Amino acid sequence: MPEPAEAVKFGGVDLSVKRMSGVAEVNDGVLVSTLVKSDDEIINSLRGSLVVAIDAPLSGVGKFRDVDRLMFKMGLRVMPANWRWMIKLGERALRIKGRLEELNIRVIETHPWSVLHWLNTDLTQLSSRLGVRKLVINGGKDAYDAAVCALVALAYAMGKVRRITASDGELYLISAD
């Protein structure tokens, strides 16, 4: 764990294969989100994070996962990890996850649309609920989704998550209480 005087940073990634990816960080009550292109830019943006939540499959890439089936049963529409473009997304996510873990960063999977739908809320309300005082979103929907991912990472550290788990993966939402 970081020293008490050290600011604790949490990160989020709305990963893409063809477009720029959204990358967000929460640090000392401020959430900043932007768009970046390369894996190196993602890693450099998230360096020093305690936890990073990624919107991409981090397990079972190439399969229709049981964890996805559980999400569907909850009324949450995720993209199955066996679609061609999802396979490419998952492969990139696993590369990034490995590099972040080499930096001792905990990496978890999330799905921003499901988080907001599950809680029937929006980014502004959710960030306020988690103690974020300021939002700076630069980059449209992908930056917005990355911001939600960063809030999931923060909630994970606070013990305020709902873990959806199956034999082939786990995905985190923010708990309703």
Side-chain angles (χ1 to χ4, degrees):
M1 292 296 284
E3 293 297 318
E6 192 178 326
V8 179
K9 180 171 138 180
F10 302 94
V13 181
D14 182 42
L15 198 60
S16 179
V17 175
K18 294 185 178 181
R19 311 184 305 278
M20 293 180 80
S21 297
V23 176
E25 77 174 50
V26 178
N27 192 347
D28 197 24
V30 177
L31 191 156
V32 178
S33 187
T34 191
L35 299 176
V36 300
K37 184 80 171 156
S38 71
D39 290 4
D40 287 340
E41 288 176 295
I42 292 170
I43 302 304
N44 289 334
S45 295
L46 299 171
R47 190 175 301 277
S49 296
L50 187 61
V51 180
V52 169
I54 297 180
D55 176 17
L58 296 176
S59 64
V61 175
K63 299 185 334 186
F64 187 72
R65 307 178 305 169
D66 290 337
V67 72
D68 297 331
R69 286 183 180 88
L70 289 173
M71 294 290 286
F72 286 131
K73 285 181 182 176
M74 295 172 64
L76 303 172
R77 299 174 294 153
V78 296
M79 304 287 178
N82 63 342
W83 291 2
R84 181 177 294 161
W85 68 271
M86 286 295 288
I87 292 170
K88 289 181 182 183
L89 184 71
E91 289 168 347
R92 183 176 186 202
L94 289 171
R95 277 194 317 272
I96 290 169
K97 177 184 186 225
R99 289 184 60 193
L100 291 171
E101 288 177 339
E102 287 173 3
L103 299 171
N104 296 315
I105 298 170
R106 172 81 166 110
V107 181
I108 61 174
E109 179 180 340
T110 193
H111 188 250
W113 180 88
S114 294
V115 169
L116 297 176
H117 184 76
W118 173 254
L119 296 172
N120 191 30
T121 193
D122 64 23
L123 175 62
T124 303
Q125 293 170 340
L126 184 58
S127 61
S128 178
R129 179 176 147 196
L130 292 172
V132 173
R133 299 181 316 275
K134 183 177 180 183
L135 288 173
V136 181
I137 310 295
N138 300 310
K141 182 180 177 351
D142 297 318
Y144 183 96
D145 285 351
V148 175
C149 292
L151 292 174
V152 172
L154 174 62
Y156 177 89
M158 297 168 76
K160 295 183 176 187
V161 288
R162 165 94 189 260
R163 188 176 99 171
I164 313 303
T165 186
S167 62
D168 56 1
E170 61 186 18
L171 193 144
Y172 289 85
L173 305 173
I174 295 175
S175 63
D177 36 286

